[in-house]
Amino acid sequence: MKSILLALSLAVTPSAAASLHHDLPTPNYIPMRRHESKTPSTLLHKRSVTRPANLTNVHDVYYIIDITVGNQTIPVSIDTGSSDTWLVQEPYECVSYFFPYPGAKPDCGLGTGFVGPLSGGNITTHWFGRAYMDGTFVTGFFGYEDVTIGGLTAKHQQVALVNYTFWQGDGRTSGLLGLAYPYMTGLDGPEEGQPAYDPVFTTMWKDKLIDPVFSIALSRTNSEAEEQEKESYLALGGLPPVTVDEKTWAKSEIRGIDAIPEWGFETKEKGLYIIEPEGWVIDGKKNETETKTRFPVLIDVGATLSILPKSIVNPLYAAFDPPAIYISGTGLFFAPCNATVPKFGVKIGGRTFSFAPEDLLRQTVRDRSGEYCRVGVTDVSSGPYVLGVSWLTSVVAVFDVFNSEMRFASRIEY
Ligand SMILES: *[C@@H]1O[C@H](CO)[C@@H](O)[C@H](O)[C@H]1NC(C)=O
Ligand SMILES: *[C@@H]1O[C@H](CO)[C@@H](O)[C@H](O)[C@H]1NC(C)=O
Ligand SMILES: *[C@@H]1O[C@H](CO)[C@@H](O)[C@H](O)[C@H]1NC(C)=O
Ligand SMILES: *[C@@H]1O[C@H](CO)[C@@H](O)[C@H](O)[C@H]1NC(C)=O
Ligand SMILES: *[C@@H]1O[C@H](CO)[C@@H](O)[C@H](O)[C@H]1NC(C)=O
Ligand SMILES: *[C@@H]1O[C@H](CO)[C@@H](O)[C@H](O)[C@H]1NC(C)=O
């Protein structure tokens, strides 16, 4: 942390260096458990709660944190692509459109949820509901309860309890912690014009429990591997305790939701963590391309893969040696598991942040033959585009809502 100014003076223009915020480590960091579900790679989970446009996504790697709601400790997955915090309420009704065998009881794959009433009371003026594009949905009601994360308590926090859902989990989590802006809480509800409210992180900084910043470090390997550098953290108010390459710090402005043309919003209001990288670099054995095409991307911990336009992704597939191929039925590209992986990086704040080869070609997700491994980047015909877990594992990402900017530094290889 201390060497940041020295390092910057070597690498970044003085004006940029002068304005780069100097982050401090926070004692309020919370370890997260990484979970990779064993669902077949063909099972696509399409999340789109806050995304009107088409988004095919894979959701088989996620990060779990224990939060305390009232006095109940409940595991939830974290998401920077939505803003609500919801928990399933016991007993809840799980519905399904399809059944593994006739008469089977639907299983939503949610863990034990919240029991009993919310101590701050219910909100009775409007319902909670979010629909996802693959047909999954959560519905229930809002109320107030204290929410504690890593020793910090957001008092009288608005949360949602879900009592009617179709969900496809694998039993590790009982809800979601949405870390995006308040604006998103007023969208997409069952009733038009739902009042927006402050999500957990917003409450915490407005109550001055923390500086208006959080950061994440995501491990590439499951948390059963004990080494510290492999751990994942959510750090509230500062930096997590992982080593980064200090000279790589770079920043990018967080854009308003009007930056995603496909969404058709006119407001410049901040909603999600949208940045506009300066370019993309592919360096394969046979081809090296650098494109300066600029388009907005979401920084989304809730997305396993990164999702980019065909103009970027097709040359990337071609740069694998042998090239990646489309495997029908999966909707995704795979390359031979022993293929040579090209270098692929995104330019942010004058620096290139590369994907790790392990994330570009994931050895643990294979096709039926077992010889082809999944490429960590997928294409989509229109935005929003996403930098997901397959990129975030290589950096520490700082979400600074006070300065409206994201900062990144490369993690020391682990
Ligand atoms: C959305 O996806 C469907 C199915 O893949 C496709 O037919 C349609 O063209 C897509 N729409 C957009 C706007 O990309
Ligand atoms: C948890 O909170 C509920 C309601 O506030 C209370 O009735 C219960 O006794 C508490 N349980 C424990 C173990 O503190
Ligand atoms: C809130 O709603 C739930 C579900 O209908 C109910 O069980 C609970 O008693 C209500 N709590 C209050 C304080 O009304
Ligand atoms: C869910 O809670 C709401 C609000 O209390 C209630 O009206 C509704 O009947 C509940 N639904 C189920 C399936 O329990
Ligand atoms: C390298 O990639 C660029 C961009 O896709 C393409 O236009 C060019 O033909 C490729 N060159 C070779 C030698 O493959
Ligand atoms: C990669 O694996 C295939 C079989 O799966 C084998 O035929 C090929 O020789 C291997 N290539 C390299 C470069 O090791």
Side-chain angles (χ1 to χ4, degrees):
M1 316 301 137
K2 310 109 255 148
S3 61
I4 186 165
L5 287 176
L6 172 67
L8 281 167
S9 63
L10 297 173
V12 182
T13 58
S15 61
S19 62
L20 191 67
H21 186 84
H22 183 166
D23 292 298
L24 296 173
T26 170
N28 299 307
Y29 59 82
I30 305 99
M32 299 190 287
R33 301 186 291 283
R34 178 186 186 279
H35 180 60
E36 187 169 341
S37 65
K38 296 284 180 287
T39 49
S41 58
T42 48
L43 178 60
L44 302 183
H45 188 97
K46 300 179 196 118
R47 302 168 60 245
S48 76
V49 59
T50 50
R51 296 166 190 155
N54 248 0
L55 177 63
T56 301
N57 198 3
V58 177
H59 191 54
D60 60 12
V61 173
Y62 50 94
Y63 293 84
I64 305 168
I65 196 166
D66 290 328
I67 65 175
T68 304
V69 183
N71 54 17
Q72 301 173 37
T73 300
I74 294 174
V76 296
S77 53
I78 69 157
D79 188 19
T80 54
S82 65
S83 301
D84 301 292
T85 291
W86 61 260
L87 310 153
V88 72
Q89 185 196 35
E90 302 286 349
Y92 60 93
E93 191 174 336
C94 169
V95 293
S96 187
Y97 302 126
F98 53 85
F99 299 88
Y101 54 90
K105 203 168 166 283
D107 179 5
C108 283
L110 287 157
T112 305
F114 189 85
V115 181
L118 294 165
S119 71
N122 293 349
I123 294 172
T124 53
T125 48
H126 53 277
W127 305 121
F128 170 69
R130 301 286 178 220
Y132 300 77
M133 245 180 2
D134 59 353
T136 59
F137 64 82
V138 288
T139 63
F141 57 95
F142 289 112
Y144 299 101
E145 188 52 277
D146 292 350
V147 175
T148 302
I149 307 176
L152 299 171
T153 300
K155 288 217 188 299
H156 199 66
Q157 171 63 44
Q158 182 168 338
V159 295
L161 291 187
V162 167
N163 61 7
Y164 187 74
T165 178
F166 169 47
W167 195 251
Q168 294 173 302
D170 60 359
R172 304 289 179 117
T173 57
S174 310
L176 197 69
L177 173 66
L179 290 165
Y181 286 86
Y183 188 79
M184 305 316 281
T185 64
L187 301 178
D188 202 31
E191 294 153 58
E192 294 290 317
Q194 265 197 22
Y197 64 91
D198 285 346
V200 175
F201 164 65
T202 311
T203 303
M204 284 182 172
W205 71 257
K206 283 192 177 169
D207 286 353
K208 301 197 168 24
L209 303 178
I210 51 169
D211 287 339
V213 53
F214 71 90
S215 59
I216 55 155
L218 302 182
S219 67
R220 186 172 297 122
T221 46
N222 282 340
S223 44
E224 288 88 72
E226 290 287 313
E227 279 168 70
Q228 160 110 24
E229 273 301 290
K230 289 182 176 156
E231 282 181 10
S232 306
Y233 297 98
L234 169 65
L236 297 167
L239 292 177
V242 300
T243 318
V244 297
D245 183 350
E246 295 291 346
K247 66 181 181 303
T248 61
W249 279 109
K251 66 171 184 174
S252 190
E253 181 198 341
I254 298 172
R255 307 293 168 127
I257 51 173
D258 60 332
I260 311 265
E262 291 84 354
W263 281 348
F265 286 114
E266 276 164 23
T267 174
K268 295 199 178 313
E269 194 78 38
K270 305 282 192 288
L272 298 174
Y273 300 102
I274 303 166
I275 63 164
E276 200 174 278
E278 296 118 52
W280 302 82
V281 182
I282 301 170
D283 187 358
K285 247 161 127 181
K286 296 183 189 134
N287 201 347
E288 187 182 330
T289 52
E290 180 172 340
T291 147
K292 294 201 164 60
T293 318
R294 296 184 72 131
F295 50 86
V297 295
L298 304 180
I299 305 298
D300 190 357
V301 178
T304 298
L305 302 181
S306 297
I307 305 167
L308 298 171
K310 290 184 196 303
S311 62
I312 304 289
V313 176
N314 287 342
L316 172 66
Y317 293 150
F320 280 77
D321 185 19
I325 55 163
Y326 180 76
I327 296 190
S328 62
T330 68
L332 297 169
F333 276 72
F334 287 69
C337 295
N338 60 2
T340 305
V341 178
K343 273 213 174 105
F344 179 49
V346 53
K347 297 195 98 163
I348 297 170
R351 301 209 161 269
T352 302
F353 292 94
S354 292
F355 287 65
E358 305 92 303
D359 293 321
L360 277 180
L361 193 60
R362 175 159 287 287
Q363 297 292 323
T364 52
V365 184
R366 299 191 174 215
D367 78 328
R368 282 181 218 289
S369 77
E371 285 176 21
Y372 282 80
C373 286
R374 189 175 74 194
V375 175
V377 182
T378 188
D379 63 279
V380 68
S381 52
S382 67
Y385 305 108
V386 173
L387 283 169
V389 171
S390 65
W391 178 73
L392 286 165
T393 48
S394 296
V395 297
V396 163
V398 179
F399 300 73
D400 180 346
V401 302
F402 181 75
N403 294 300
S404 291
E405 65 182 36
M406 299 267 340
R407 290 182 289 280
F408 304 98
S410 298
R411 284 183 79 168
I412 300 292
E413 250 172 68
Y414 65 98

